[in-house]
Amino acid sequence: MIGILGIVLSLALLIVLAYRGWNVIFIAPLCAGVALLFNWQEAPLLATYSQVYMPAMGNFLAKFFPLFLLGAVFGKLMEDSGAAKAIALGIVRLIGAERAILAVVLACAILTYGGVSLFVVAFSVYPIAMQLFRSAQIPKRLIPGAIALGSFTFTMTALPGTPAIQNAIPMPFFHTTPFAAPGMGIIAGLFMLVCGQLWLSRRAALARTAGEGYGEHHDVIVEEDNRDLPNVWLALLPLASVIALNALFTYVVIPAMDTGYLAMPKFGKVSLPAVLGVWAIIAAMAIAVLLVVLLNLSRFRDVRASITEGTLGSLLPVCNTAAEVGYGAVISGLGAFIAFRETLKSVVGDPLVSVAVVVNTLAGLTGSASGGLSLTLQAMGEYYRNAALAAGIDPEVMHRVATLASGGLDALPHNGAVITLLAITRLTHKDSYKDILFCAVVFPVLSGFLVVGLNAVFGTF
């Protein structure tokens, strides 16, 4: 009992300090140390830090650092070349300014599905959204909900092939690819998009009936960039290449390669399925980075500076997540946690339901989709894979449900992306969180359990 108390206090301290702005890289080992103090007989402090925490953190970096790096560099290049803005404006012209909410949602969705960081998307789309909403007399308070719907939800966790890290983390555990359970992912994505769009449209209609317009806001006027923007189709090419090349490397190129050397100790004695998904995303993103540079070389003020800034921008997110993985490795090795895990297995017998509940819970507690997913799979990934195989459940649907669950309760008020989005738009939780709650929490959580139900009736597809 005292061991469980230590774990609860440790996790509570991690949540409180993270919410108050303390850096996770610094506080994660300290919070793990709190749990160790209550379990001192089985887990010596310094040995656990050097032999458990740091190897787990390093292993995560070894697997996923290239994805964070390439994603951040790609996003920065898309922003600095003007390609991200060109795509957003192209979507507005296609959809029509009168459909401002849908235009903003789709602009964010296309950019994030193509591999652009949600933070870059928020900065790129917000000035356009501000102009559209003001012209259409839609309350500004709905902008964060629209950006969250397009950036934090279906393109991050549902659509097959998305290069988001949340879609990559389950692959080594379940030996799956970025295209796991594609039919289910598409249905879940459509569910989130349609429900979110209906919610925001209804909120806008109610505001119009009440006579509420855009509102009085002292918006920061963003200086217009007078450079020629790339043609929208040219700007879309690198995004399309990410998805197309991802599929090509996943299903054709890498499987055709002779990878027998992976069985050698030098390469970790792994099978191809354990690395296929990550390899495919790395190759696709690397080519996309090169492509966006070549297509927009004359539009960059300084390519080297853009790449440097993107590289530096990748370090904090990847180290934050890796620190949470190290924390999870310490906690998962404690006898008290193992006893709790066994109790959980007996209470929630279905591994598919269990992974949905546990990932949602930890993502909500940590305020991080990748953090909650990593903590869960670091602690119970092998168990979930074996339990799924024993129950006749396709690992692909385990992958998709785990990924969907990571994008559910993660967007609670203390989530870093939520706080950043509100800061960018100069709005408060009181102004806009209700719409973020429904678009980025309620509907994504329901979509995960929708897939669980679909699997029960139709199997994996």
Side-chain angles (χ1 to χ4, degrees), residues 170-361:
M171 294 190 299
F173 295 96
F174 298 128
H175 294 181
T176 47
T177 74
F179 296 86
M184 291 174 153
I186 291 171
I187 290 175
L190 288 173
F191 176 83
M192 284 185 262
L193 172 60
V194 171
C195 288
Q197 182 64 32
L198 289 174
W199 169 267
L200 292 172
S201 297
R202 176 62 176 164
R203 294 273 285 168
L206 290 173
R208 191 177 302 113
T209 301
E212 180 185 358
Y214 180 78
E216 294 296 326
H217 299 280
H218 300 290
D219 292 324
V220 175
I221 304 301
V222 179
E223 184 180 347
E224 287 295 324
D225 193 334
N226 294 321
R227 291 175 302 158
D228 290 332
L229 297 177
N231 175 275
V232 65
W233 296 109
L234 196 69
L236 281 167
L237 190 56
L239 301 184
S241 73
V242 172
I243 306 302
L245 290 170
N246 196 352
L248 184 66
F249 281 110
T250 297
Y251 295 112
V252 180
V253 177
I254 296 177
M257 295 166 54
D258 179 9
T259 55
Y261 52 81
L262 290 174
M264 298 170 58
K266 179 180 179 180
F267 298 106
K269 294 184 178 180
V270 297
S271 62
L272 180 60
V275 296
L276 172 61
V278 173
W279 283 8
I281 295 178
I282 290 173
M285 291 298 297
I287 294 174
V289 165
L290 180 62
L291 189 60
V292 73
V293 170
L294 293 177
L295 291 176
N296 300 282
L297 193 57
S298 63
R299 296 185 177 89
F300 288 104
R301 290 194 174 96
D302 188 337
V303 173
R304 183 177 61 182
S306 295
I307 292 175
T308 298
E309 191 172 343
T311 300
L312 295 176
S314 72
L315 298 180
L316 185 59
V318 70
C319 289
N320 280 342
T321 306
E324 290 175 335
V325 169
Y327 173 85
V330 172
I331 300 300
S332 64
L334 299 176
F337 180 86
I338 294 171
F340 168 76
R341 183 183 68 190
E342 295 305 314
T343 302
L344 180 65
K345 291 179 189 177
S346 62
V347 173
V348 185
D350 187 331
L352 202 54
V353 175
S354 176
V355 78
V357 171
V358 175
V359 173
N360 258 306
T361 301

Side-chain angles (χ1 to χ4, degrees), residues 88-169:
L89 291 173
I91 296 297
V92 171
R93 287 193 292 269
L94 178 65
I95 300 298
E98 68 279 5
R99 300 185 182 88
I101 295 175
L102 182 60
V104 169
V105 171
L106 291 182
C108 293
I110 289 172
L111 288 167
T112 50
Y113 189 42
V116 180
S117 160
L118 60 90
F119 296 105
V120 170
V121 170
F123 277 108
S124 300
V125 173
Y126 169 60
I128 299 167
M130 193 168 54
Q131 296 168 18
L132 289 174
F133 277 51
R134 188 188 292 276
S135 298
Q137 282 300 295
I138 298 172
K140 181 185 177 182
R141 59 182 171 82
L142 298 181
I143 291 179
I147 293 177
L149 176 60
S151 305
F152 300 1
T153 62
F154 57 96
T155 58
M156 184 176 81
T157 62
L159 297 187
T162 174
I165 189 62
Q166 291 80 5
N167 193 40
I169 289 172

Side-chain angles (χ1 to χ4, degrees), residues 395-408:
E396 287 202 7
V397 74
M398 291 292 292
H399 170 131
R400 188 55 55 208
V401 168
T403 302
L404 287 167
S406 75

